Amino acid sequence: MEVFVLHILKLNIIAAVVILLVKLLAILFKGQVSARWKYIIWLLITVSLCIPVRLPANFTLVDFKVQRSIQQNEQNSKTTDYAARPGERQQKMEIMSSVNNNTKSQSEVPEQKEFVVHTAGKWMETIAETIAVIFASVWLSVAVLKLAGELLAYYLSMKNLRRMSLPVNDPVSIQMYRDVYRKKRVCRVPELRQNAGLTTPLLAGLFHTKLYLPATGYSAEERKLVFYHELTHYCHRDLWYKMLLRICASIYWFNPFLLIMLKEADKDIENLCDTAVINCVNKKDHRLYR
């Protein structure tokens, strides 16, 4: 258990260092660190934490056969030397026997020292295992509670959205929405709905995604840009990306640097979406979108 706990802690320390480095580089080289690279780095950190694979200690990609053959040649040369010089071998055997005779007389004290060291080592192993079990129990218990809270919040929010929303009946908005998703070549088109309780557009639902619009507040041109923006999020699978990052932050709740990663990932998602929208619309709509 303590090996697994140490591996988890090591992964979180590495993740924290990488997050801080990326954050510092983004501050120092403002505007030069690509949002796409940061997006990929956050994804790699999340996957490595959610799948904490630990390679075995004896795992090697290359078998050093040359080194083994050299060692075998050295051993063979030593044995031939001893065979060629029996007098030296007999001398060394006499020295070794005298050393063994001297150590036999002093064997009682080392045995006592070995017993004390062995007992202390056992105590240390027991304490380390107990700490690892306590840490794993607290960590997993809080992680399960946080994941359950996230799931409950998602269920309640989706229920409220469905309860307070109606299908969009405006033919102009429907036609504009159809033109946008055809231009973006969206296969499974999110259902377009209207919600009086919203103040901003919202894309929600992992499996049955819907695009919710506020009742008022947008002109026809602005709605077209809203469709481009939200459908770009849908094509980038940003809902799944955010969900994966939130699951990782809930599992490793003791790592505060993952919250920094969540905030940075939200910015990167929006920057990538804005860049994609600007590349899709004409120059006239650039100013309105910005």
Side-chain angles (χ1 to χ4, degrees), residues 23-42:
K23 177 69 174 175
L24 288 175
L25 288 175
I27 293 172
L28 292 175
F29 303 98
K30 191 173 182 181
Q32 298 181 9
V33 180
S34 173
R36 173 64 61 185
W37 282 108
K38 290 169 66 181
Y39 183 96
I40 295 171
I41 290 171
W42 307 143

Side-chain angles (χ1 to χ4, degrees), residues 2-58:
E2 61 268 22
V3 176
F4 176 72
V5 169
L6 286 174
H7 179 63
I8 293 296
L9 292 175
K10 182 174 73 174
L11 286 178
N12 277 273
I13 291 171
I14 294 172
V17 171
V18 173
I19 291 167
L20 279 179
L21 284 176
V22 174
K23 177 69 174 175
L24 288 175
L25 288 175
I27 293 172
L28 292 175
F29 303 98
K30 191 173 182 181
Q32 298 181 9
V33 180
S34 173
R36 173 64 61 185
W37 282 108
K38 290 169 66 181
Y39 183 96
I40 295 171
I41 290 171
W42 307 143
L43 182 61
L44 290 176
I45 291 173
T46 304
V47 171
S48 64
L49 288 175
C50 291
I51 310 174
V53 178
R54 183 173 179 271
L55 296 176
N58 58 353

Side-chain angles (χ1 to χ4, degrees), residues 100-263:
N100 289 332
N101 292 329
N102 292 332
T103 54
K104 281 180 183 178
S105 60
Q106 299 176 353
S107 60
E108 293 181 359
V109 176
E111 283 179 0
Q112 291 178 358
K113 289 182 179 178
E114 286 178 3
F115 176 75
V116 173
V117 170
H118 183 66
T119 307
K122 272 191 171 182
W123 274 104
M124 291 298 293
E125 288 180 3
T126 306
I127 292 170
E129 188 174 355
T130 304
I131 293 172
V133 170
I134 293 171
F135 173 80
S137 302
V138 175
W139 164 44
L140 293 176
S141 300
V142 177
V144 169
L145 290 176
K146 289 186 74 66
L147 287 173
E150 291 282 347
L151 184 62
L152 181 62
Y154 172 77
Y155 171 76
L156 293 176
S157 62
M158 292 302 300
K159 186 178 178 180
N160 289 331
L161 281 173
R162 286 193 298 266
R163 182 171 55 86
M164 299 177 63
S165 64
L166 295 171
V168 174
N169 297 321
D170 180 17
V172 177
S173 297
I174 293 173
Q175 183 60 41
M176 197 179 296
Y177 185 58
R178 188 180 291 117
D179 293 339
V180 172
Y181 71 67
R182 283 178 179 173
K183 186 175 180 180
K184 293 190 70 65
R185 297 179 181 178
V186 180
C187 297
R188 296 181 59 185
V189 181
E191 183 183 352
L192 188 62
R193 299 185 71 85
Q194 195 171 7
N195 193 311
L198 293 177
T199 56
T200 57
L202 178 65
L203 191 71
L206 293 172
F207 298 101
H208 303 286
T209 310
K210 295 180 176 60
L211 175 54
Y212 297 93
L213 297 175
T216 57
Y218 290 99
S219 63
E221 292 81 6
E222 289 172 340
R223 285 204 172 196
K224 179 183 176 181
L225 295 176
V226 165
F227 295 151
Y228 270 110
H229 184 89
E230 298 301 334
L231 287 178
T232 301
H233 279 308
Y234 179 73
C235 293
H236 289 176
R237 303 290 188 271
D238 287 335
L239 290 177
W240 288 95
Y241 183 86
K242 287 183 177 182
M243 180 206 66
L244 185 61
L245 264 62
R246 291 187 71 87
I247 287 175
C248 181
S250 297
I251 293 174
Y252 299 103
W253 50 268
F254 55 86
N255 189 348
F257 295 95
L258 295 179
L259 300 178
I260 299 174
M261 185 181 74
L262 278 176
K263 292 181 181 179

Side-chain angles (χ1 to χ4, degrees), residues 62-74:
V62 180
D63 191 8
F64 296 97
K65 293 182 180 179
V66 178
Q67 189 176 358
R68 291 179 182 176
S69 63
I70 292 171
Q71 290 176 356
Q72 288 177 359
N73 291 333
E74 288 178 357

Side-chain angles (χ1 to χ4, degrees), residues 89-100:
R89 187 177 181 184
Q90 187 176 1
Q91 241 177 358
K92 289 184 179 180
M93 292 296 291
E94 290 175 358
I95 293 170
M96 290 296 292
S97 62
S98 64
V99 170
N100 289 332

